[in-house]
Amino acid sequence: MHPADRPGVRDSLRAENYMYVYDEYDQRIIEERVAQFRDQTARFLAGELAEDEFRPLRLQNGLYVQRYAPMLRVCVPYGLLSAPQLRMLAKLARDYDKGYAHISTRQNVQYNWPKLEDVPDMLAELASVQMHAIQTSGNCIRNVTTDQFAGVAPDEVIDPRPWCEIIRQWATFHPEFAHLPRKFKIAVNGSAADRAAIEVHDIGLEPVRNEAGELGFRVLVGGGLGRTPIVGSFINEFLPWQHLLSYLEAILRVYNRYGRRDNKYKARIKILVKALTPEVFAERVAAEWAHLKDGPATLTEAELERVAKHFVDPAYKALDDQSAALAALDAEHPGFARWRSRNVAGHKKPGYAAVTLSLKPTGIAPGDVTDKQFDAIADLAERYSFGEARSSHEQNIILADVEQSQLFELWGELRELGLATPNIGLLTDIICCPGGDFCALANAKSIPIAEAIQRRFDDLDYVFDLGEIDLNISGCMNACGHHHIGNIGILGVDKKGEEFYQVSLGGEAGRNASLGQILGPSFAQDDMADVIAKVIEVYVEQRSEEERFLDTFRRIGIDPFKERVYAKNH
Amino acid sequence: MQRIIKNGEVIDERWHLLPVDATLDGISNSDDLIVPLGLWLQSSHALKVRDGGLGVWLQSHEQIEDIVDDLKYFKVVALDFPAFTDGRHFSSARLLRERYGYQGEIRAIGDVLRDQIFFMHRCGFDAFAVRPDRDPYDALKGLQDFSVTYQTGVDQPLPLFRRR
Ligand code: HEM
Ligand code: SF4
């Protein structure tokens, strides 16, 4: 039984209505994991496991040792959270950390200040709400990510969530792929738009139907960011769904055997795919798959049904769209109108909407959530959205099933909580890694840059007028902040021991993803807000009506931006 | 004498592992030997006519495809882990069992530690030469880490979804 399903919980809030609920097997696996990790930690603390031996073990459980303290990354499988899980995240922040946590760009939740010896207890608490930290780091298959609007998006073709769960189970403690050459990330998208950035993942999957109406997958391999950013290549245009796992196994086996291990900067699958060419890589996979196809890993109707039944629609009411009533509220409350235009997305059901809670108010590290906010979000989820919430790779939280007639009331509550900043998709909705304030690998801080830009662009009307702009910041070339695929990307670099920042323009995360072009020499921290302001000036001067930043950039190219930013001051 | 884990028990080791640069010179006729792949590829005729038992060992970059036609000659195939984080031979072991039907001993050698043994066993290893500075009885506990597994494996070919 999922903890959400304790006696007395209203039927409409039962977890089985909106997320995968563990059975005794799933539960036993995570409990055995807690015991295993408790023992490993004890052996490490007793000196029986050397640091080098413990490191890969703790990493596979999401535990980094960072600049000031360990960092624990908790897995949020494909971004789905129940109210009890949100309350547990709050409790961990309160009891084991400094009262807040961080939503990562891979939909996970990170704690920045736990104590190593507390981690086994934290994992035990997580296990009580069907959560864990398995494979959230290390050279193994990581958390599967997807569209934060999965299951409710009006443009959805196929719900990706059952597939994510099937892949999650297959990847969990996969014995053959526990020590890959490097980390391995899989993303699934089920919609016309690609909100899961599948083209920059090691494997990207898209469920599709062929002309006969049969279900299958388009399979992409070899995307990734980091120091060698590459947009992946599709190697299979239609893989019948029954063969998903055997095909994944074939890809991973080719990678595990032939991926480079001599140089960790050349160890990602993208380097292998590039070296062989996507065509040859595809042939190798096909040759391997020929042996695995139709074996015991072949998926069954029964399994698909067992998993998919957890992702059926919640008990939606028959409602009508509230356009007129909402327009009237807009007219009366400009703040509501603004919020609605940015933070409220369409829904496949009339009368419903998906609401994004912005974790990007000025002055707070992008993606940070306090324990009180987690608790409050849990309550709001139960009152407004069937008890469910999602995390997004843009580092925000979503209530996916809100009745339009309740939007106004919800907006009021969110404002009280500091979660109603109306900036989703705008310049100040910055995607940002922890950077030098927390991360030991950083070349430069990233959070203060985000804040400086937010402060410079503090005029909401202006930011609204600028329209959609993705701005991404990474503190080093590991690219945890996805700076390559930001319309504006900022990368921390080290120049003779000083923190500098390189700017790139024109990146794009969605379908037909593209990598940004570097503007030129890097800038000092204090200049960054000015630099971004100049980039924006050029856009404002050059745009034609309704043209997004990215479209203007694609039309006019990088030179006008260069000229302005590097012009000598008179 | 080194002790190894075999079929879930700690036993005395009787095989001699020859170093990677071993030659036929002075090689024992009657001892049980695990020879490096290079020596096997050079001198298989001489090795086949010995009286003692024969095994072969592969470095982590060496391919099992080089021995798959010769498997009938080997009582042991030992696969080396220069570091436990080098997972290539996890795939080799599965292929030996699942694709090439090898039924002899598959032994993990090198940086073999308690915390990887569970996965190794699932991939088809049935013998573990635990690193000499570690207690094989302690390592044995690693085989019990999990009682449920999701995927197909050599130990349990049916994935959990076909059994649940
Ligand atoms: C603070 C501790 C962290 C460390 C030590 C760390 C380390 C790294 C490293 C070394 C890479 C590059 C891997 C490669 O290219 O092979 C990487 C990539 C990545 N990290 Fe982090 N990271 C940290 C925190 C985060 C956080 C907080 C996020 C989310 C906000 C994140 C999200 C990512 C993502 C999305 C990538 C993938 C880029 C790609 O596709 O290559 N990381 N990280
Ligand atoms: S991008 Fe660099 S600085 Fe930022 S979190 Fe990743 S490793 Fe750390």
Side-chain angles (χ1 to χ4, degrees):
Chain A
M1 185 169 72
H2 187 277
D5 296 346
R6 62 195 186 277
V9 168
R10 269 186 290 141
D11 264 3
S12 63
L13 295 184
R14 291 195 174 282
E16 69 201 24
N17 286 334
Y18 55 79
M19 71 195 303
Y20 181 76
V21 177
Y22 283 7
D23 66 8
E24 63 193 282
Y25 297 112
D26 305 301
Q27 187 65 29
R28 206 180 327 147
I29 287 176
I30 60 165
E31 284 175 8
E32 288 174 351
R33 173 54 156 182
V34 175
Q36 181 195 38
F37 192 71
R38 193 181 287 287
D39 182 67
Q40 289 169 344
T41 306
R43 281 186 280 140
F44 171 68
L45 292 172
E48 293 165 32
L49 267 177
E51 171 59 39
D52 278 357
E53 291 163 13
F54 185 53
R55 187 188 312 110
L57 303 180
R58 65 170 162 71
L59 284 178
Q60 301 229 340
N61 222 345
L63 186 61
Y64 287 83
V65 173
Q66 278 307 308
R67 199 151 268 207
Y68 304 108
M71 179 202 85
L72 179 68
R73 187 179 290 155
V74 173
C75 189
V76 182
Y78 39 96
L80 279 193
L81 287 161
S82 68
Q85 290 176 332
L86 287 159
R87 292 195 181 98
M88 178 56 76
L89 295 174
K91 180 172 193 293
L92 294 186
R94 210 162 32 238
D95 294 355
Y96 300 95
D97 206 299
K98 296 187 176 179
Y100 66 97
H102 178 81
I103 307 290
S104 87
T105 45
R106 300 204 72 257
Q107 300 185 295
N108 290 326
V109 172
Q110 302 198 165
Y111 291 92
N112 286 314
W113 309 98
K115 288 201 197 69
L116 174 62
E117 48 280 22
D118 285 343
V119 171
D121 291 338
M122 295 173 79
L123 296 176
E125 300 229 37
L126 287 166
S128 74
V129 291
Q130 307 190 354
M131 293 185 85
H132 58 77
I134 295 165
Q135 291 166 214
T136 53
S137 178
N139 296 332
C140 51
I141 306 172
R142 305 285 191 87
N143 185 22
V144 185
T145 52
T146 191
D147 180 0
Q148 66 268 33
F149 299 116
V152 305
D155 69 336
E156 186 162 279
V157 185
I158 285 149
D159 187 347
R161 294 172 300 172
W163 300 105
C164 290
E165 178 57 29
I166 285 170
I167 294 167
R168 182 192 76 81
Q169 297 192 14
W170 165 80
T172 299
F173 301 129
H174 196 299
E176 186 177 347
F177 307 130
H179 293 288
L180 294 168
R182 202 73 183 86
K183 59 165 78 169
F184 204 90
K185 302 177 178 181
I186 302 177
V188 189
N189 174 52
S191 290
D194 173 11
R195 285 176 292 266
I198 65 170
E199 296 184 21
V200 290
H201 280 77
D202 296 284
I203 292 181
L205 294 169
E206 237 175 6
V208 288
R209 290 197 185 274
N210 66 8
E211 280 170 15
E214 293 153 340
L215 184 64
F217 291 88
R218 292 182 78 208
V219 184
L220 170 139
V221 295
L225 300 172
R227 29 184 99 206
T228 318
I230 297 182
V231 175
S233 309
F234 282 94
I235 59 164
N236 194 331
E237 285 295 328
F238 191 81
L239 172 71
W241 66 268
Q242 294 86 344
H243 303 301
L244 176 65
L245 298 184
S246 58
Y247 196 80
L248 291 179
E249 223 153 277
I251 296 174
L252 266 296
R253 183 172 287 170
V254 170
Y255 172 54
N256 188 43
R257 298 190 72 194
Y258 303 107
R260 285 182 64 174
R261 291 176 186 261
D262 57 326
N263 178 342
K264 78 170 179 172
Y265 302 123
K266 304 221 183 285
R268 295 278 296 269
I269 193 174
K270 60 194 173 187
I271 306 288
L272 177 66
V273 172
K274 201 170 170 212
L276 290 174
T277 74
E279 294 71 32
V280 172
F281 183 83
E283 285 165 21
R284 294 261 189 114
V285 170
E288 186 60 42
W289 185 50
H291 295 281
L292 298 171
K293 184 170 179 285
D294 299 318
T298 308
L299 280 165
T300 58
E301 293 275 358
E303 172 64 356
L304 178 55
E305 196 183 310
R306 183 186 76 82
V307 176
K309 73 166 193 281
H310 293 288
F311 300 100
V312 296
D313 282 351
Y316 291 125
K317 298 178 197 160
L319 300 173
D320 292 321
D321 277 332
Q322 301 291 306
S323 319
L326 291 170
L329 284 168
D330 283 355
E332 223 175 305
H333 305 277
F336 177 69
R338 260 195 198 136
W339 174 77
R340 203 164 73 84
S341 75
R342 292 315 322 175
N343 299 35
V344 177
H347 196 287
K348 66 178 183 182
K349 287 284 171 201
Y352 284 88
V355 172
T356 300
L357 282 49
S358 172
L359 303 182
K360 316 292 178 67
T362 299
I364 304 281
D368 274 8
V369 193
T370 66
D371 61 329
K372 291 197 184 60
Q373 286 175 325
F374 270 132
D375 276 335
I377 294 166
D379 293 346
L380 294 178
E382 286 183 337
R383 283 173 25 234
Y384 291 97
S385 194
F386 298 101
E388 182 239 59
R390 291 113 185 265
S391 53
S392 71
H393 79 84
E394 291 95 349
Q395 304 176 287
N396 292 309
I397 288 186
I398 286 87
L399 299 179
D401 292 300
V402 179
E403 290 178 27
Q404 291 175 3
S405 59
Q406 299 195 313
L407 284 171
F408 187 73
E409 201 186 323
L410 174 60
W411 174 63
E413 299 207 42
L414 291 175
R415 279 202 306 173
E416 298 279 303
L417 294 164
L419 295 170
T421 312
N423 63 351
I424 299 306
L426 300 179
L427 181 64
T428 52
D429 182 12
I430 296 173
I431 296 178
C432 181
C433 82
D437 292 302
F438 298 98
C439 174
L441 305 178
N443 287 326
K445 294 195 178 62
S446 45
I447 295 168
I449 302 297
E451 184 173 344
I453 295 169
Q454 286 173 331
R455 291 205 187 282
R456 169 60 63 96
F457 292 90
D458 63 349
D459 176 351
L460 250 183
D461 288 325
Y462 186 57
V463 172
F464 254 72
D465 175 61
L466 296 176
E468 282 174 28
I469 305 179
D470 295 339
L471 193 150
N472 297 47
I473 309 178
S474 306
C476 77
M477 68 289 232
N478 288 320
C480 303
H482 290 175
H483 63 278
H484 304 103
I485 50 174
N487 303 159
I488 300 175
I490 298 177
L491 163 67
V493 293
D494 177 287
K495 252 194 186 172
K496 303 196 185 101
E498 282 196 69
E499 301 189 359
F500 272 72
Y501 298 87
Q502 189 180 71
V503 174
S504 56
L505 301 180
E508 147 86 323
R511 201 168 284 285
N512 304 316
S514 59
L515 304 172
Q517 296 172 36
I518 295 169
L519 191 61
S522 53
F523 308 96
Q525 177 168 344
D526 290 346
D527 297 335
M528 281 311 293
D530 287 340
V531 169
I532 300 305
K534 286 182 188 159
V535 167
I536 295 298
E537 270 168 37
V538 175
Y539 161 60
V540 170
E541 290 164 19
Q542 300 266 355
R543 69 176 163 185
S544 59
E545 217 156 321
E546 299 292 302
E547 202 178 34
R548 293 178 310 159
F549 176 86
L550 184 65
D551 300 319
T552 304
F553 175 83
R554 286 183 175 160
R555 183 169 52 78
I556 67 176
I558 201 161
D559 290 339
F561 294 96
K562 256 188 197 158
E563 281 158 26
R564 179 71 51 91
V565 170
Y566 295 104
K568 295 265 178 301
N569 290 328
H570 298 288
Chain B
M1 178 175 294
Q2 201 194 339
R3 318 201 71 198
I4 65 161
I5 296 175
K6 176 81 195 276
N7 293 331
E9 284 175 67
V10 177
I11 59 163
D12 287 338
E13 163 66 326
R14 63 187 172 89
W15 289 81
H16 298 275
L17 188 80
L18 300 190
V20 70
D21 53 1
T23 63
L24 285 183
D25 293 345
I27 206 167
S28 146
N29 177 52
S30 55
D31 284 347
D32 293 337
L33 301 180
I34 302 176
V35 305
L37 174 68
L39 186 60
W40 168 255
L41 294 177
Q42 268 166 30
S43 316
S44 58
H45 290 299
L47 291 168
K48 278 181 210 165
V49 298
R50 291 172 57 258
D51 294 333
L54 181 65
V56 67
W57 73 270
L58 272 61
Q59 299 177 58
S60 66
H61 66 273
E62 290 174 332
Q63 310 284 318
I64 43 137
E65 282 75 7
D66 286 340
I67 55 166
V68 292
D69 295 330
D70 301 334
L71 292 174
K72 58 179 175 292
Y73 301 110
F74 305 129
K75 289 206 172 63
V76 176
V77 174
L79 301 173
D80 182 46
F81 290 82
F84 71 83
T85 50
D86 184 338
R88 282 177 275 196
H89 280 324
F90 287 85
S91 293
S92 309
R94 277 194 83 171
L95 287 168
L96 281 172
R97 294 279 189 233
E98 293 174 348
R99 186 158 312 160
Y100 300 108
Y102 179 65
Q103 312 240 317
E105 174 179 318
I106 302 183
R107 177 185 297 199
I109 60 174
D111 197 18
V112 179
L113 301 171
R114 165 173 166 175
D115 294 291
Q116 286 73 48
I117 279 183
F118 183 82
F119 291 144
M120 289 175 171
H121 177 249
R122 292 215 68 210
C123 289
F125 288 91
D126 56 354
F128 308 90
V130 176
R131 216 170 72 187
D133 62 330
R134 295 301 154 94
D135 176 3
Y137 288 97
D138 180 59
L140 203 49
K141 294 182 197 151
L143 287 174
Q144 312 300 328
D145 276 351
F146 295 96
S147 64
V148 187
T149 53
Y150 285 120
Q151 313 77 4
T152 67
V154 173
D155 58 337
Q156 170 51 272
L158 292 184
L160 184 62
F161 68 77
R162 290 178 182 272
R163 294 179 277 123
R164 76 200 299 173

